[in-house]
Every structure is written in structure tokens, then in C-alpha cells.
């Protein structure tokens, strides 16, 4: 294992070095939080794919393939569909808003009264997303070093917190690009063909497994529908995803770069399901489906390649964890703390100055604080699936309707948005307590109640001030405040 260990250690040291380099780039709030809003299509596509394809998509996707066969691809497939929908229909308008958070978008659309409550819901979502990614370090480091769970979480989490705190979005963007390359080589180009060959090829896999393993809908129609509600719609409104859209250097980059990333997700989904199906042939009696990824990597791959593929799994976890962490810290600082102390920052960027550097230091401090909170919460929790389900149920049940309603329906009002957030969020929480966290009913009924309240309250209250709507349309058209960094050529 010495060669494998060397590959992993070099990778981890490289992540810290990139974080240190990114610190020199992040001199303003815009550079620290959204990479100066000037990523070109290559970097944008790679980093967007990296953040949405995390440990759940890699380890969990292979586990679903082990359990259900090719239809196990549906979870990650719906993530790719959500990213495609976001990129094609909404990303250009979102990028033109020149904001830092989803709550700032709601304030612009509804007149400055939806921020704090939506910020709290979004903060809870991003915190739990970061926690679930951090818990996954325990699985990977256990395979690598037979490490204690708590030590593994602290080690992996500390590295992510370190490079995220140092350079903000610049460091995260650069590390995500490295992680995207490592995942592509490790999972798609190495593990996928080796797993299929070791299992005897597709003909042998079909001979060894029941026919339902090759049924595209074998996982069940209700499960697929729930995945669409949670993950496809979740991709449309998550702060971690929007914050990447804000980094695009142009409308075209946001639209087409995101489309490339979404298409990559569809390929990655199928690859994970095929690897899991091959693992079922090789190891039919595993105690847990989630052990399939680690087992096939540990037992079937040659020295060196094994280290690279484990680095790919680590890359998947780290990219999602760092993206969720900076999103959590941005929401906590900009949408909650700044508003509570009555100092809401301007949505426009400014020339780097002492004030800007103070804002960078403030956001850096929030990443450190939130990072420590994420590590401590990850140590205390055990069930990753339940934590992830709570996060997405809160996000979709509470915020989907007011966000998409604001983008698509001009009659929506601030009162309707606030009522939708409150009723949808409380309904989801209450129904999870009643039906169980993993039940489908909470998201079904929570989303319906949020929609009903939004429409009824919006129609029953005065329409949004025409001046607010006029300012909103100006920003959507790209005629609002332009950040200084937009004049700098896009990075490829």
C-alpha cells in the first residue's frame, strides 16, 4: 500500500498548496466569494460538475447500482437533469443579478422582506450538506489507513476548512478543477472498465444477475419521482449551486458550461450504476451496499491505480464539502449575521479597499467558524442518508416555490413568499416527525402546501411595488450594478 499512500498524501498536500496560492488571489469580497465572477467555460464546467458529484454520487451511486442494478443510476441522473434545467432555463438570468446569495435574489424580487427567514432555511440546508460530505471521510480514510472514525472526520474536514478559509472561492475553484480531473480518470477511465472486465463483461453480468438488474425502471416509479422532486428541483435553488453560477464570466458560460457539466453528470450516473452491478457479480454477499465501492477498489485494482481511484473518491467528497462550506458561511454572514446587526452589505462589487479587505477577513472568519461547527456536527451524527434527506426536504419544501415563483410569476408578493417559506418548512418538519425522515409524504405534502399558500396569499395581498419590479427587471436584463472584475478577461 506504500505507493497508494504516497498518491493520497501527494494529493492532500497539493490541495493545501492550492489553497495557499488562492489566498494571494482573493483580495476582494467578489474574488473571495464568487472568484471575481470571471470563470471561463472550461473551469466553470469542471468545477460545477465537481461540486454536484460528491461522496453520495460516487460511493452512494455505486451502492445503488449494487442494490438495484442499472436503475440505481436514477439518483445521480436526476442531479444531472436538475443541473441541465438550471443551466438552460435559469442560469443566465441568475448570473446577471450580480448577487452573492439566494436570499439577496429574493430581496431584490420581493422588496427586501424575505431575507432572514429564507437565509435560515438555506443555512440549515448548506450546513447539513457539508456535514454529510464530511462524514464520508470516515469511510474513505478507514479503507486507506484503518483510521478511527473521529480522527478521519477531523483530518479530512480540517484540510477542506484550511484551503477554503485561505483562498475562498478561488481556492475551491482551483481544487475542484483538480478534483474533476482526478474523478474523471479514477472513476470513468480506470475503475469502470476494470470493474466490467473483472466481472466477465456485460454478457457474464447478465447471466449471473436477475433480469430486474437491467431494467431501467427497476428501482420503482415512486422512488424515481421522489428523486426528481428532491434532487432535480434541489439543483435549481441550492445556494451551493447558485454560488457557482455567480462565478461565470458571461451568460454564455453559465448556460453552455453548465450544460456540459450536466451532461457529464448523466454519464457519471450510468458509470456508477455499472460499477455497482459489476460489484454485485464479484461480491454477492456484502453486508452493506455502500461497501461496494471500497471493496471493489481494495480487492480488484492494481497498486497505484487503487490509490488514484481512492483519491478520486476523496476528491468527490472534498469538492462537495468545500462548496457546501463556503455556501454555508456566505449565508450565515451575508443573510443572517449582517442583517441581524443592521449592516446589510451592498450587492454591487467595489474596487478592493480597506473595507473590502475587512469583508474578506469577515467571510474568512465565518468559513473557519462554520467549518468547526460542521466537523463537530459530523462527529456527533451517524446516519448520512437521514441528514441529507432532512437538508433537501427543508430546501425544496421551504424555498422552491418562492424562488421559482419569483422568477416565473410577476404577481407573487413578499407576503406570499414568506408564507410559503414558513408553511412549507414547518409542514416538512412536522410530516417528517409524523411519517419518518425517509418517508416520501413530507416532501409531497410540504411542497403542495407551500405552493397553495404562495398563490393564495399573493393573490390576497397588494401586488409588488412597480418600482421594485422595474429594478428587478433591470437586474435580470444585466443592466444593474456591474462588478469591476467583469472587465478582466475570463479564465479558461
Amino acid at each position: 500500500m506504500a505507493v497508494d499512500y504516497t498518491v493520497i498524501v501527494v494529493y492532500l498536500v497539493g490541495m493545501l498548496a492550492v489553497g495557499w496560492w488562492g489566498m494571494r488571489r482573493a483580495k476582494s469580497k467578489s474574488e473571495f466569494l464568487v472568484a471575481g465572477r470571471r470563470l471561463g467555460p472550461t473551469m466553470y464546467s469542471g468545477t460545477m460538475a465537481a461540486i454536484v458529484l460528491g461522496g453520495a454520487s460516487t460511493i452512494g451511486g455505486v451502492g445503488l447500482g449494487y442494490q438495484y442494478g442499472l436503475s440505481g443510476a436514477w439518483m445521480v441522473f436526476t442531479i444531472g437533469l436538475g443541473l441541465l434545467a438550471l443551466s438552460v432555463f435559469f442560469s443566465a438570468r441568475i448570473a446577471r443579478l450580480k448577487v452573492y446569495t439566494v436570499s439577496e435574489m429574493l430581496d431584490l424580487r420581493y422588496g427586501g422582506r424575505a431575507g432572514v427567514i429564507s437565509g435560515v432555511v438555506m443555512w440549515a440546508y448548506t450546513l447539513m450538506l457539508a456535514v454529510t460530505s464530511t462524514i464520508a471521510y470516515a469511510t474513505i480514510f478507514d479503507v486507506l489507513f484503518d483510521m478511527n472514525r473521529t480522527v478521519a472526520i477531523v483530518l479530512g474536514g480540517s484540510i477542506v476548512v484550511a484551503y477554503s478559509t485561505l483562498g475562498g472561492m478561488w481556492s475551491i475553484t482551483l481544487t475542484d478543477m483538480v478534483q474533476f480531473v482526478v474523478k474523471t480518470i479514477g472513476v470513468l477511465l480506470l475503475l469502470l472498465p476494470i470493474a466490467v472486465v473483472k466481472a466477465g463483461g456485460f454478457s457474464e453480468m447478465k447471466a449471473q444477475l436477475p433480469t430486474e438488474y437491467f431494467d431501467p425502471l427497476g428501482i420503482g416509479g415512486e422512488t424515481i419521482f421522489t428523486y426528481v422532486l428532491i434532487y432535480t428541483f434541489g439543483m435549481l435553488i441550492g445556494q451551493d449551486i447558485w454560488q457557482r453560477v455567480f462565478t461565470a464570466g458571461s451568460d454564455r458560460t453559465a448556460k453552455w458550461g453548465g450544460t456540459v457539466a450536466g451532461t457529464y453528470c448523466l454519464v457519471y450516473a450510468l458509470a456508477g450504476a455499472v460499477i455497482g452491478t459489476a460489484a454485485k457479480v464479484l461480491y454477492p454477499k456484502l453486508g452493506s451496499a455502500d461497501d461496494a465501492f471500497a471493496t471493489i477498489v481494495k480487492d480488484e485494482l492494481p497498486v497505484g491505480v487503487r490509490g488514484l481511484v481512492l483519491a478520486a473518491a476523496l476528491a468527490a467528497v472534498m469538492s462537495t464539502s468545500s462548496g457546501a462550506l463556503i455556501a454555508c458561511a456566505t449565508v450565515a454572514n451575508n443573510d443572517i449575521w449582517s442583517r441581524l446587526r443592521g449592516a446589510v452589505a451592498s450587492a454591487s462589487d467595489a474596487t478592493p479597499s480597506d473595507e473590502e479587505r475587512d469583508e474578506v477577513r469577515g467571510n474568512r472568519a465565518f468559513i473557519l467558524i462554520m467549518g468547526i461547527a460542521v466537523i463537530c456536527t459530523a462527529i456527533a451524527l451517524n446516519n448520512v442518508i437521514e441528514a441529507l434527506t432532512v437538508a433537501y426536504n427543508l430546501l425544496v419544501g421551504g424555498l422552491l416555490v418562492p424562488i421559482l415563483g419569483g422568477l416565473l410569476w410577476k404577481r407573487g408578493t413578499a407576503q406570499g413568499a414568506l408564507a410559503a417559506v414558513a408553511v412549507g418548512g414547518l409542514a416538512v418538519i412536522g410530516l417528517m416527525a409524523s411519517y419518518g425522515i425517509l418517508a416520501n409524504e413530507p416532501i409531497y405534502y410540504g411542497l403542495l402546501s407551500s405552493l397553495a399558500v404562495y398563490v393564495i396569499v399573493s393573490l390576497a395581498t397588494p401586488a409588488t411595488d412597480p418600482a421594485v419590479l422595474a429594478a428587478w427587471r433591470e437586474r435580470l436584463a444585466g443592466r444593474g450594478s456591474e462588478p469591476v472584475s467583469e472587465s478582466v478577461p475570463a479564465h479558461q
Side-chain angles (χ1 to χ4, degrees):
M1 291 288 288
V3 175
D4 297 324
Y5 290 162
T6 301
V7 171
I8 299 295
V9 170
V10 168
Y11 169 76
L12 294 176
V13 171
M15 293 300 96
L16 292 173
V18 170
W20 183 262
W21 184 86
M23 181 176 66
R24 299 165 56 193
R25 301 288 309 261
K27 300 299 184 182
S28 71
K29 179 180 178 180
S30 173
E31 290 170 338
F32 191 82
L33 294 182
V34 290
R37 305 188 197 273
R38 52 193 173 99
L39 294 190
T42 302
M43 287 192 71
Y44 180 85
S45 298
T47 58
M48 182 63 87
I51 187 175
V52 300
L53 295 174
S57 299
T58 303
I59 299 170
V62 171
L64 287 171
Y66 182 90
Q67 189 172 358
Y68 298 105
L70 297 185
S71 66
W74 272 106
M75 185 188 78
V76 183
F77 202 82
T78 56
I79 290 173
L81 291 178
L83 185 52
L84 285 171
L86 174 71
S87 301
V88 172
F89 299 113
F90 299 109
S91 62
R93 284 187 285 174
I94 292 170
R96 287 196 294 265
L97 290 174
K98 308 302 181 191
V99 296
Y100 292 106
T101 68
V102 174
S103 294
E104 287 182 22
M105 167 264 169
L106 291 173
D107 276 352
L108 279 172
R109 168 60 182 82
Y110 294 112
R113 286 174 286 176
V116 174
I117 186 171
S118 61
V120 170
V121 174
M122 189 63 77
W123 173 81
Y125 156 73
T126 53
L127 178 72
M128 295 308 294
L129 186 62
V131 166
T132 57
S133 301
T134 304
I135 291 173
Y137 295 127
T139 301
I140 298 170
F141 281 111
D142 179 54
V143 174
L144 285 172
F145 308 117
D146 193 24
M147 187 177 290
N148 173 271
R149 177 181 182 276
T150 299
V151 174
I153 289 172
V154 171
L155 175 61
S158 297
I159 292 170
V160 170
V161 172
Y163 73 69
S164 300
T165 302
L166 286 172
M169 187 58 83
W170 266 123
S171 292
I172 292 170
T173 296
L174 295 170
T175 54
D176 276 359
M177 198 62 201
V178 174
Q179 289 157 357
F180 169 74
V181 172
V182 171
K183 278 193 289 191
T184 301
I185 295 172
V187 175
L188 296 185
L189 302 183
L190 293 176
L191 181 57
L192 174 61
I194 290 173
V196 172
V197 169
K198 291 284 186 177
F202 285 104
S203 58
E204 183 65 20
M205 290 163 63
K206 286 186 176 181
Q208 293 283 341
L209 296 173
T211 56
E212 55 263 29
Y213 264 71
F214 301 91
D215 180 359
L217 304 178
I219 199 170
E222 185 178 355
T223 298
I224 295 170
F225 180 66
T226 303
Y227 284 159
V228 170
L229 280 184
I230 293 177
Y231 297 114
T232 301
F233 287 131
M235 287 296 106
L236 297 179
I237 59 174
Q239 170 67 25
D240 52 323
I241 309 302
W242 277 40
Q243 200 155 343
R244 293 311 172 97
V245 175
F246 300 152
T247 66
S250 67
D251 294 355
R252 183 178 178 84
T253 294
K255 182 174 182 178
W256 296 111
T259 301
V260 170
T263 305
Y264 178 90
C265 291
L266 303 184
V267 175
Y268 200 89
L270 185 58
V274 171
I275 293 167
T277 305
K280 183 67 175 179
V281 174
L282 295 167
Y283 312 100
K285 303 293 186 181
L286 287 179
S288 170
D290 285 340
D291 293 336
F293 179 88
T295 303
I296 196 169
V297 168
K298 193 172 184 180
D299 293 350
E300 302 298 335
L301 298 185
V303 172
V305 173
R306 180 172 50 202
L308 183 60
V309 173
L310 287 171
L314 196 58
V317 175
M318 294 178 84
S319 57
T320 300
S321 181
S322 59
L325 176 59
I326 193 170
C328 179
T330 303
V331 170
N333 188 13
N334 285 27
D335 294 337
I336 301 174
W337 173 245
S338 292
R339 295 169 191 267
L340 291 177
R341 66 188 177 93
V344 181
S346 171
S348 61
D349 295 355
T351 304
S353 61
D354 289 340
E355 183 179 351
E356 280 280 279
R357 285 190 287 271
D358 286 342
E359 287 184 325
V360 171
R361 283 194 290 268
N363 282 290
R364 186 172 279 138
F366 265 87
I367 291 180
L368 180 60
I369 294 167
M370 290 299 106
I372 293 171
V374 164
I375 291 171
C376 293
T377 307
I379 292 170
L381 293 180
N382 285 314
N383 196 313
V384 178
I385 299 300
E386 287 192 358
L388 192 63
T389 302
V390 169
Y392 273 97
N393 280 354
L394 278 173
L395 175 70
V396 175
L399 290 179
L400 178 68
V401 170
I403 291 172
L404 293 188
L407 289 168
L408 301 173
W409 189 40
K410 66 180 182 180
R411 187 60 181 82
T413 66
Q415 294 89 341
L418 289 170
V421 173
V423 171
L426 291 174
V428 164
I429 293 170
L431 291 166
M432 282 193 295
S434 176
Y435 286 97
I437 289 176
L438 299 180
N440 294 327
E441 287 83 359
I443 191 61
Y444 294 166
Y445 300 138
L447 197 53
L448 286 173
S449 63
S450 179
L451 176 61
V453 168
Y454 178 72
V455 172
I456 292 170
V457 174
S458 291
L459 292 175
T461 52
T464 304
D465 187 339
V468 171
L469 287 178
W472 165 254
R473 286 191 292 269
E474 285 290 303
R475 294 293 284 271
L476 276 180
R479 294 190 290 267
S481 301
E482 292 287 332
V484 172
S485 56
E486 290 291 333
S487 61
V488 183
H491 285 258
Q492 298 298 314

